[in-house]
């Protein structure tokens, strides 16, 4: 009998770990889903998830303090990696949040504030952007069986603006266009919360666990 696949959800003290773990386990009951901070478990896993919620300075600070940045860089060399929400923002070069934060620079680009005067069709929009929003999907295996324009659940005041638009795999619009998903080689990252996005989010997580890291 073949050993079950292992998915490691990185625990650095910041992230919606319980719901991410539950959603991953739901879509792939045969997969062993670990919430772990142990480098040896993360590096031994078949798939790795970098979650994140809250302030970017705290997230990046903990990632660097615990050496998770070095582990993520190692993971990126060889296996499928999924970033979620602030996990995506932490992968960028720099964020405007908290007066400016240098991030991990795994994707070149900026994390920018939506603004206090965000409007659409003459109506003022609330920030943070919280709720369901359509995503324009661009060709990638993780969108398998997910229709273009499907809705996903977002909670964010800051948005990603990638320097290399070839890496953009999903786009959203909330008063202004923003990059909702990035992908390069065996790395994929999303601004929305797939674990809170019902059918489409679960399908994306299932696609991730079935993905061999080839774009």
């Amino acid at each position: 009998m073949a050993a079950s696949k292992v998915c490691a959800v990185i625990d650095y003290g910041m992230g919606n770990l319980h719901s991410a773990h539950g959603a991953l386990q739901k879509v792939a009951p045969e997969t062993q889903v670990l919430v772990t901070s142990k480098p040896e478990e993360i590096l031994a896993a078949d798939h790795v998830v970098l979650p994140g919620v809250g302030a970017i300075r705290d997230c990046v600070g903990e990632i660097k303090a615990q050496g998770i940045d070095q582990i993520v860089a190692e993971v990126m060399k060889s296996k499928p990696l999924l970033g979620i929400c602030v996990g995506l923002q932490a992968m960028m070069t720099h964020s405007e949040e908290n007066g400016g934060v240098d991030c991990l620079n795994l994707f070149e680009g900026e994390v920018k504030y939506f603004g206090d005067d965000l409007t659409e069709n003459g109506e003022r929009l609330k920030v943070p952007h919280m709720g369901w929003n359509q995503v324009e999907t661009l060709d990638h295996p993780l969108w398998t069986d997910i229709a273009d324009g499907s809705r996903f659940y977002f909670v964010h005041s800051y948005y990603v603006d990638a320097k290399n638009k070839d890496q953009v795999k999903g786009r959203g619009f909330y008063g202004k266009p923003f990059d909702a998903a990035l992908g390069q080689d065996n790395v994929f990252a999303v601004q929305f919360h797939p674990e809170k996005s019902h059918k489409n989010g679960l399908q994306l997580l299932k696609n991730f666990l079935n993905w061999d890291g080839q774009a």
Side-chain angles (χ1 to χ4, degrees):
M1 182 177 174
S4 64
K5 288 197 298 184
V6 176
C7 176
V9 180
I10 299 178
D11 179 7
Y12 56 97
M14 306 282 295
N16 200 348
L17 303 175
H18 177 73
S19 59
H21 173 275
L24 287 159
Q25 202 68 81
K26 180 176 181 177
V27 299
E30 73 287 354
T31 296
Q32 183 182 4
V33 182
L34 300 175
V35 175
T36 179
S37 59
K38 296 179 180 178
E40 64 274 15
E41 292 184 341
I42 298 168
L43 294 172
D46 301 288
H47 292 73
V48 178
V49 176
L50 179 68
V53 297
I56 189 72
R57 184 179 297 280
D58 294 339
C59 282
V60 172
E62 285 302 313
I63 286 171
K64 292 181 177 179
Q66 297 180 36
I68 299 296
D69 55 336
Q70 298 172 33
I71 296 169
V72 168
E74 191 66 29
V75 166
M76 287 180 67
K77 295 177 183 178
S78 61
K79 59 193 67 182
L81 172 66
L82 176 65
I84 295 176
C85 194
V86 178
L88 162 63
Q89 295 185 6
M91 291 179 173
M92 305 308 296
T93 305
H94 184 267
S95 174
E96 292 180 352
E97 190 177 351
N98 304 127
V101 177
D102 289 330
C103 302
L104 305 182
N105 200 32
L106 304 178
F107 288 110
E108 283 191 80
E110 297 288 316
V111 182
K112 300 177 178 179
Y113 183 47
F114 270 120
D116 294 319
D117 55 353
L118 192 66
T119 59
E120 188 171 332
N121 299 323
E123 292 190 16
R124 191 161 184 163
L125 299 176
K126 292 181 178 179
V127 177
H129 170 213
M130 184 179 297
W132 296 87
N133 207 95
Q134 284 187 308
V135 173
E136 175 194 355
T137 60
L138 303 171
D139 187 46
H140 194 278
L142 263 67
W143 298 124
T144 299
D145 295 327
I146 297 173
D148 184 29
S150 291
R151 291 157 65 83
F152 293 86
Y153 190 78
F154 289 82
V155 182
H156 61 133
S157 299
Y158 294 79
Y159 66 93
V160 164
D161 181 14
K163 182 176 181 180
N164 181 357
K165 294 306 179 184
D166 288 340
Q167 295 175 331
V168 177
K169 304 303 177 185
R171 298 192 188 101
F173 191 91
Y174 187 69
K176 60 182 70 176
F178 65 91
D179 298 333
L182 300 183
Q184 180 70 43
D185 301 327
N186 53 304
V187 182
F188 195 83
V190 297
Q191 179 64 67
F192 54 82
H193 284 276
E195 76 279 8
K196 297 180 180 178
S197 297
H198 302 332
K199 179 184 173 183
N200 292 318
L202 292 177
Q203 183 64 51
L204 186 138
L205 293 177
K206 183 177 181 180
N207 292 341
F208 171 66
L209 293 176
N210 289 330
W211 185 39
D212 61 3
Q214 300 295 312

